[in-house]
């Protein structure tokens, strides 16, 4: 088993996307707990960290998912 076998690659890409879009800033607590979830899972968070993740990261992820769904629908609509 390699050192990165536990990394959530999909979440890593989503968080990178949120950083690129300005939804999450590197160096913030939201970014830090997102990185911890990527590398160690949600279960590894303390109660305070879960609150930060639930209040800051999850809503940003949900907004981005909705945006991606809208883009997908728009791209699949007949011309």
């Amino acid at each position: 088993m390699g050192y990165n076998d536990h990394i959530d690659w999909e979440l890593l890409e989503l968080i990178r996307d949120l950083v690129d879009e300005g939804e999450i800033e590197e160096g913030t607590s939201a970014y830090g707990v997102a990185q911890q979830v990527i590398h160690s899972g949600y279960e590894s968070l303390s109660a305070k960290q879960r609150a930060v993740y639930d209040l800051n990261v999850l809503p940003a992820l949900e907004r981005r998912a909705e945006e991606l769904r809208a883009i997908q629908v728009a791209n699949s609509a007949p011309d």
Side-chain angles (χ1 to χ4, degrees):
M1 201 158 118
Y3 77 96
N4 64 357
D5 288 344
H6 57 280
I7 294 175
D8 185 335
W9 295 104
E10 183 178 353
L11 183 57
L12 175 65
E13 288 301 316
L14 289 169
I15 296 299
R16 284 182 180 164
D17 190 31
L18 291 174
V19 169
D20 290 345
E21 295 294 322
E23 290 279 334
I24 295 177
E25 287 188 43
E26 289 186 48
T28 63
S29 57
Y31 181 80
V33 295
Q35 293 301 308
Q36 184 169 333
V37 171
I38 290 166
H39 295 281
S40 301
Y42 183 81
E43 305 77 32
S44 72
L45 299 177
S46 69
K48 286 184 179 182
Q49 289 171 319
R50 286 181 186 200
V52 169
Y53 189 85
D54 294 347
L55 292 173
N56 298 288
V57 179
L58 280 181
L61 288 169
E62 290 168 356
R63 280 191 304 275
R64 187 63 183 144
E66 186 59 37
E67 290 170 1
L68 292 174
R69 279 191 290 274
I71 291 168
Q72 185 177 29
V73 167
N75 287 340
S76 66
D79 291 328

